[in-house]
Amino acid sequence: MRLTVAVETFPIAGAFRISRETRTEARVVVATIEDGAHVGRGEAVPYRRYRETVEGVAEAVEAMAPRVADGLTRQDLAEAMPAGAARNALDCALWDFEAKRSGTPVAQVLGLTLRPLTTAYTLSLGEPHEMAAAAEAAGRPLLKVKLGAPSGDDARIAAVREAVPDATLIVDANEGWNEGNLLINMGACAAAGVALIEQPLPAGRDGVLATISHPVPICADESVHTSADLAALVGRYDAVNVKLDKSGGLTEAIAMTEAARQAGLKVMVGCMIGTSLAMAPATYYAQGADFVDLDGPLLLARDREPGLVYDGATLMPPEPMLWG
């Protein structure tokens, strides 16, 4: 088995704005494992919020080349690397490689019948009229609305709801709210019939969530990475966002999803902005999830070929040529 690592850049269609940054491109790290006859790939999206850099993640993956050559398994990987983007790239590459080499699809290994999924479509943070226009133009049944500005989020969500009265709305504040505006913004979300609020407060400063009512269910994102974090969420959150790049790959994402359900938490399957190769493994543990947000490729100016097939808001299962 031989490991190679590549850094690739994909332009974002326009700009993608959240509470703490604006991006115009997605830089991803791709791990490829091959034996001369079979090839497995995994894509990771390093995230600066978690103190990751593209260069650092690529170096961490490359450092595992000798272990891969010696026959590294997914179980070995979980002990050898911490959760995060680097481990995700390798874990997903190993899943794909094992499927290609054995001829047994990942879905069969997991005992799954893959079904199409309804995915959210993300609206970047902007002025109320801009976000309302974007919501109407999107024409999607499920929208994820980025909020978290210093002020005016109540007007933003009201404007979006007026523009799309029948759409299901998820709000993502990306840690942008505080104790001063939390209740006002939550009340505005409740008035707008929002189905879920993601990470309203900064991770580590979210204890107040255990002391207030939740007129809208609250989902942990930055506050949760792996199964080990779930116990601390009880009483504060109603749901968890399970992402491959946080959990460190499909292996832990599956375990985390099962543990979250056992803890009575709803499950959202989310993503960073990456290509279809990054989304494909997530479609497996997204089967049966309460909310699915795997729209990364839809936000790009170009995707991989072949990529995932989106029919409006419907995400089709990945073809084996792409992954799995």
Side-chain angles (χ1 to χ4, degrees):
M1 293 164 57
R2 183 171 69 94
L3 169 67
T4 57
V5 183
V7 174
E8 302 176 5
T9 301
F10 293 82
I12 292 172
F16 182 76
R17 184 185 177 198
I18 64 173
S19 61
R20 54 176 166 259
E21 65 177 353
T22 299
R23 299 176 57 194
T24 58
E25 64 181 20
R27 296 185 69 207
V28 305
V29 176
V30 178
T32 301
I33 297 174
E34 53 191 322
D35 63 1
H38 310 95
V39 178
R41 299 181 300 162
E43 178 182 311
V45 187
Y47 197 30
R48 184 172 58 184
R49 167 65 180 81
Y50 304 135
R51 300 179 180 178
E52 294 177 333
T53 65
V54 170
E55 294 75 18
V57 167
E59 290 174 3
V61 176
E62 288 176 338
M64 296 299 293
R67 296 287 302 273
V68 171
D70 289 339
L72 180 77
T73 67
R74 288 183 285 106
Q75 291 70 30
D76 296 333
L77 178 63
E79 299 176 0
M81 298 185 79
R87 195 175 83 188
N88 175 37
L90 270 175
D91 182 78
C92 289
L94 285 167
W95 274 100
D96 192 33
F97 177 78
E98 292 164 9
K100 299 294 196 301
R101 182 171 61 179
S102 68
T104 304
V106 171
Q108 185 173 332
V109 173
L110 296 176
L112 292 174
T113 299
L114 296 184
R115 301 184 302 274
L117 302 166
T118 298
T119 181
Y121 181 79
T122 303
L123 303 179
S124 289
L125 179 64
E127 294 302 317
H129 70 279
E130 296 171 334
M131 298 184 72
E136 190 171 13
R140 307 281 174 143
L142 178 60
L143 292 171
K144 179 171 175 175
V145 184
K146 290 289 188 179
L147 297 180
S151 63
D153 277 353
D154 52 345
R156 290 180 176 89
I157 194 61
V160 170
R161 171 52 78 201
E162 184 177 0
V164 287
D166 297 325
T168 299
L169 302 181
I170 300 168
V171 158
D172 186 2
N174 284 116
E175 304 179 283
W177 295 349
N178 55 55
E179 291 189 21
N181 61 24
L182 176 64
L183 295 181
I184 293 173
N185 289 332
M186 287 184 64
C189 288
V194 168
L196 191 72
I197 298 173
E198 266 191 90
Q199 199 67 43
L201 299 174
R205 290 168 48 195
D206 54 3
V208 68
L209 296 178
T211 69
I212 62 173
S213 63
H214 295 186
V216 178
I218 301 177
C219 178
D221 185 0
E222 285 87 348
S223 288
V224 60
H225 291 245
T226 69
S227 303
D229 302 324
L230 292 174
L233 304 182
V234 177
R236 301 183 184 186
Y237 292 95
D238 310 291
V240 295
N241 190 337
V242 183
K243 294 179 180 177
L244 292 167
D245 283 303
K246 291 191 304 178
S247 66
L250 180 60
T251 303
E252 171 59 19
I254 292 170
M256 184 178 173
T257 298
E258 294 174 351
R261 290 195 178 108
Q262 291 173 3
L265 296 165
K266 292 187 176 183
V267 173
M268 178 179 185
V269 174
C271 66
M272 309 302 186
I273 302 182
T275 76
S276 286
L277 180 58
M279 306 300 119
T283 64
Y284 290 75
Y285 69 96
Q287 302 293 318
D290 299 283
F291 299 93
V292 177
D293 176 28
L294 295 176
D295 65 343
L298 298 177
L299 305 176
L300 299 176
R302 63 177 176 86
D303 190 16
R304 297 186 186 278
E305 295 183 5
L308 290 169
V309 175
Y310 292 84
D311 182 7
T314 302
L315 169 57
M316 303 300 178
E319 294 293 333
M321 186 179 297
L322 172 63
W323 192 89

